[in-house]
Amino acid sequence: VKKILPGCEYIQYWYDDADRVAFSQDATLRSKGLYRFMLYDNLGRTAVQGTCRSFVFSGGLAKVNLGSSSGLCGTGYTQYTSWSNETINSPEIETVTYYDSYDFLSTEMLGKCSDIAMLRMQQYENANSMVTGMVKRTSTGEYLYTASYYNRKGQQCDELSTYPGGVLIHKSIDYSFTGKPISEHFILYKNEVREK
């Protein structure tokens, strides 16, 4: 529950009933009065990570379910039923990871993305157990979005990512008959101007 290393302040950890780190606090977070929280999906994969001002934690599972258009901070993830929204006070999202489907494209958080129309592709194939999307918060408070698409063999064939300054990059990957990547193509979109 506490790690002490030479030459630095201690790091403290809180674990859920599945022995996963639910909250942590290092010296930097402690000086700001913050804690880092981690929430997991039904399969134990990290779904939401962020910081909060305080929390009330008496055990249970640090678990979320995807199935809402709003959810925790607009991510679409709702907290496990044994938790309440008051458990995590003043949450700020750092990263959100989506798996298995593209339902996240209709969440409140993705609705803030100016490139949401470009992140949507029509080929929804074989995304089970794969990372389908990510949202990351930069140090300036801007959110960056990524959507990943897979072919029928489960190989990533397209990835669309936003970057600071209104840039969107579409990466597509071609595979050989034996499943090895043979080429990658990048298209840069900036201010609605297409450049290669």
Side-chain angles (χ1 to χ4, degrees), residues 114-130:
S114 59
D115 294 310
I116 185 63
M118 295 194 69
L119 290 179
R120 297 178 195 270
M121 295 188 73
Q122 296 303 315
Q123 53 184 58
Y124 295 170
E125 292 186 287
N126 204 18
N128 286 335
S129 77
M130 304 293 188

Side-chain angles (χ1 to χ4, degrees), residues 95-134:
T95 62
V96 185
T97 307
Y98 298 98
Y99 305 90
D100 306 326
S101 74
Y102 297 91
D103 296 340
F104 72 93
L105 290 169
S106 59
T107 61
E108 192 177 295
M109 177 168 273
L110 269 291
K112 298 174 185 176
C113 177
S114 59
D115 294 310
I116 185 63
M118 295 194 69
L119 290 179
R120 297 178 195 270
M121 295 188 73
Q122 296 303 315
Q123 53 184 58
Y124 295 170
E125 292 186 287
N126 204 18
N128 286 335
S129 77
M130 304 293 188
V131 173
T132 53
M134 290 191 74

Side-chain angles (χ1 to χ4, degrees), residues 33-66:
L34 296 173
Y35 300 86
R36 178 162 285 116
F37 65 87
M38 280 74 69
L39 301 173
Y40 305 86
D41 71 2
N42 292 330
L43 298 176
R45 302 171 294 192
T46 304
V48 183
Q49 178 180 304
T51 59
C52 61
R53 288 282 169 197
S54 63
F55 64 92
V56 177
F57 184 63
S58 57
L61 295 174
K63 182 175 157 187
V64 287
N65 297 314
L66 182 63

Side-chain angles (χ1 to χ4, degrees), residues 112-164:
K112 298 174 185 176
C113 177
S114 59
D115 294 310
I116 185 63
M118 295 194 69
L119 290 179
R120 297 178 195 270
M121 295 188 73
Q122 296 303 315
Q123 53 184 58
Y124 295 170
E125 292 186 287
N126 204 18
N128 286 335
S129 77
M130 304 293 188
V131 173
T132 53
M134 290 191 74
V135 179
K136 297 179 182 180
R137 186 173 183 264
T138 66
S139 58
T140 61
E142 180 182 2
Y143 287 106
L144 304 178
Y145 307 89
T146 300
S148 299
Y149 295 89
Y150 302 87
N151 62 24
R152 62 186 58 184
K153 293 183 178 179
Q155 302 160 323
Q156 185 184 47
C157 55
D158 289 284
E159 181 182 86
L160 294 98
S161 301
T162 63
Y163 290 87

